[in-house]
Amino acid sequence: MVAVVSACGPTPATKVDTTTEAAAPTTRTPRIVDDSGRPDITFDPCLDLPDDVMTAAGYDAAHKEFADMPMGSYTFLGCTYEKDDPVPGVRRGYGLNVLSGNVTLEEELLKNGTVATLTSINNRPALVEIDPNTTDTCRYILETDFGIVIFSRLHYKDHPGPSAQSEWCTGLEGFVSSVEPFISH
């Protein structure tokens, strides 16, 4: 799980066009760059996922939070969302972290290969990660030209004890498939 998403100081959001039509992202200077020689991150989850699309999916785009992680040898641009989606006896909702990083899918597979399964989303190479040691979390990792985009969702249960592992990823693949066209390749 990428629980390291404790934000390093939110940056104010800029006004962006939030039409639902997937288009080539606007070229802009990334919010954070590193000196690693790795590619610049060309997909910013807080700016390039349209608010109306996230709101239609049930996430509170009006209260999204920037969560950036400059690491020196690589960088992640992050955005966190909350979804109030209660199902009595099952869940209170979800927390979603979307991280865009300049590490490769191969590096991610080497790091988390014991809990990762190769897959694809809309013909884009991807991983799905379900780590039994990271309870209630499901992650989809998509390959891009600059690195990867991680969708890490935390299932907020509304009952004591563990949630069934089969519930952790419910509906996440469909959501990721629906927003994948907004991600630059």
Side-chain angles (χ1 to χ4, degrees):
M1 177 176 168
V2 182
V4 196
V5 178
S6 56
C8 296
T11 305
T14 57
K15 188 78 172 154
V16 294
D17 180 9
T18 58
T19 60
T20 56
E21 183 180 317
T26 305
T27 302
R28 69 168 92 63
T29 303
R31 284 187 280 131
I32 296 177
V33 295
D34 57 51
D35 58 1
S36 67
R38 292 176 182 261
D40 286 342
I41 299 167
T42 57
F43 173 75
D44 188 320
C46 273
L47 302 178
D48 294 329
L49 286 175
D51 287 349
D52 62 337
V53 170
M54 295 303 290
T55 299
Y59 290 95
D60 186 359
H63 294 99
K64 65 186 174 189
E65 294 181 23
F66 289 84
D68 302 329
M69 293 167 278
M71 305 292 199
S73 61
Y74 57 89
T75 296
F76 279 95
L77 301 180
C79 197
T80 63
Y81 297 89
E82 296 292 324
K83 181 175 186 177
D84 185 22
D85 185 20
V87 175
V90 178
R91 69 174 181 266
R92 304 183 275 116
Y94 299 108
L96 178 70
N97 295 321
V98 184
L99 301 167
S100 191
N102 57 359
V103 298
T104 66
L105 191 67
E106 292 77 21
E107 288 173 303
E108 178 66 22
L109 185 58
L110 283 172
K111 178 182 167 199
N112 291 318
T114 59
V115 297
T117 303
L118 288 167
T119 189
S120 69
I121 299 291
N122 300 338
N123 297 314
R124 183 191 295 256
L127 301 171
V128 62
E129 295 178 355
I130 304 169
D131 184 349
N133 297 314
T134 311
T135 307
D136 297 325
T137 300
C138 180
R139 293 171 27 138
Y140 275 85
I141 297 92
L142 282 59
E143 184 176 58
T144 68
D145 287 343
F146 60 82
I148 59 175
V149 174
I150 300 171
F151 292 86
S152 181
R153 189 183 71 184
L154 178 60
H155 172 107
Y156 299 141
K157 61 187 178 193
D158 80 340
H159 54 82
S163 295
Q165 190 172 344
S166 61
E167 295 173 5
W168 300 358
C169 291
T170 300
L172 186 57
E173 181 177 357
F175 167 74
V176 173
S177 293
S178 74
V179 297
E180 181 275 336
F182 295 100
I183 301 171
S184 56
H185 280 267

